[in-house]
């Protein structure tokens, strides 16, 4: 039995990383030839026009992807890291946070599309679910407007 053996402790993190990588590949396959990078670049254009120092005081959103503290707290919860909000002026870190969030929540929805991920970015996990199950309300209208802006850059 491999339970709690040095061999398992050595290779388990690699198996977990490989599983997550394979899930990521499956997610990308569903994006209809749109890569995560292309989607993030489109979101970046909408959110900040590419300004890594962009700051929206009304939402306390920072960086090129306009990451709010609640999104960063979710990332830190998922990963066990302790990234600070001020660090999100680094473009690569913002893209890493977004990719990790996309990967985590994409495992919870079948047939993920770029629209699902844009809805996730703009409206959280509840927003993401609305890409497949739209409702007739203001939040849905806001998500659709946001998606239209992102889609224009894809």
């Amino acid at each position: 039995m491999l339970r709690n053996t040095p061999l398992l402790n050595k290779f388990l993190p690699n198996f977990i990383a490989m599983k997550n990588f394979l899930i990521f590949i499956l997610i990308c396959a569903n994006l209809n030839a749109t890569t995560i990078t292309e989607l993030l670049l489109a979101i970046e254009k909408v959110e900040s026009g590419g300004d890594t120092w962009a700051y929206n005081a009304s939402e306390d959103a920072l960086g090129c992807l306009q990451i709010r503290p609640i999104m960063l707290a979710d990332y830190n919860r998922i990963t066990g890291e302790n990234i600070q909000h001020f660090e999100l002026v680094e473009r690569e870190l913002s893209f890493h946070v977004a990719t990790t969030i996309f990967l985590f929540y994409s495992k919870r929805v079948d047939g993920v599309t770029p629209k699902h991920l844009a809805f996730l970015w703009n409206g959280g996990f509840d927003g993401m679910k609305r890409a497949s199950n739209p409702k007739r309300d203001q939040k849905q209208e806001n998500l659709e407007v946001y998606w239209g802006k992102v889609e224009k850059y894809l």
Side-chain angles (χ1 to χ4, degrees):
M1 192 172 218
L2 286 177
R3 187 175 0 146
N4 214 12
T5 65
L7 183 63
L8 181 63
N9 292 337
K10 180 177 179 181
F11 291 107
L12 186 59
N14 291 331
F15 288 129
I16 292 169
M18 181 59 77
K19 176 185 159 224
N20 286 339
F21 178 72
L22 291 173
I23 291 169
F24 186 72
I25 294 299
L26 290 173
I27 291 165
C28 290
N30 285 333
L31 294 180
N32 299 325
T34 299
T35 67
I36 295 292
T37 301
E38 290 169 332
L39 179 61
L40 287 172
L41 289 170
I43 290 172
E44 179 184 51
K45 290 251 192 217
V46 171
E47 294 288 349
S48 70
D51 182 0
T52 60
W53 288 91
Y55 179 69
N56 178 338
S58 68
E59 295 185 0
D60 198 17
L62 180 64
C64 64
L65 297 176
Q66 292 293 279
I67 298 175
R68 295 173 35 205
I70 194 166
M71 184 72 79
L72 181 59
D74 201 25
Y75 169 84
N76 284 333
R77 176 189 60 81
I78 291 164
T79 63
E81 294 182 36
N82 189 27
I83 293 173
Q84 301 299 305
H85 196 231
F86 70 86
E87 295 177 82
L88 295 172
V89 296
E90 294 180 30
R91 186 173 190 242
E92 294 81 14
L93 181 58
S94 290
F95 273 51
H96 173 73
V97 167
T99 301
T100 301
I101 293 288
F102 287 169
L103 174 61
F104 181 81
Y105 286 105
S106 291
K107 294 184 236 177
R108 288 155 176 74
V109 175
D110 291 330
V112 174
T113 66
K115 184 175 184 177
H116 283 90
L117 298 178
F119 274 33
L120 170 64
W121 197 250
N122 188 251
F125 185 59
D126 287 337
M128 182 182 195
K129 293 185 287 188
R130 285 173 174 248
S132 298
N133 301 302
K135 299 181 181 177
R136 290 183 176 206
D137 62 8
Q138 189 60 50
K139 182 173 183 174
Q140 187 73 35
E141 287 181 34
N142 294 345
L143 289 167
E144 295 292 347
V145 167
Y146 182 78
W147 168 242
K149 292 176 184 178
V150 171
E151 189 178 32
K152 183 170 62 170
Y153 292 107
L154 291 177

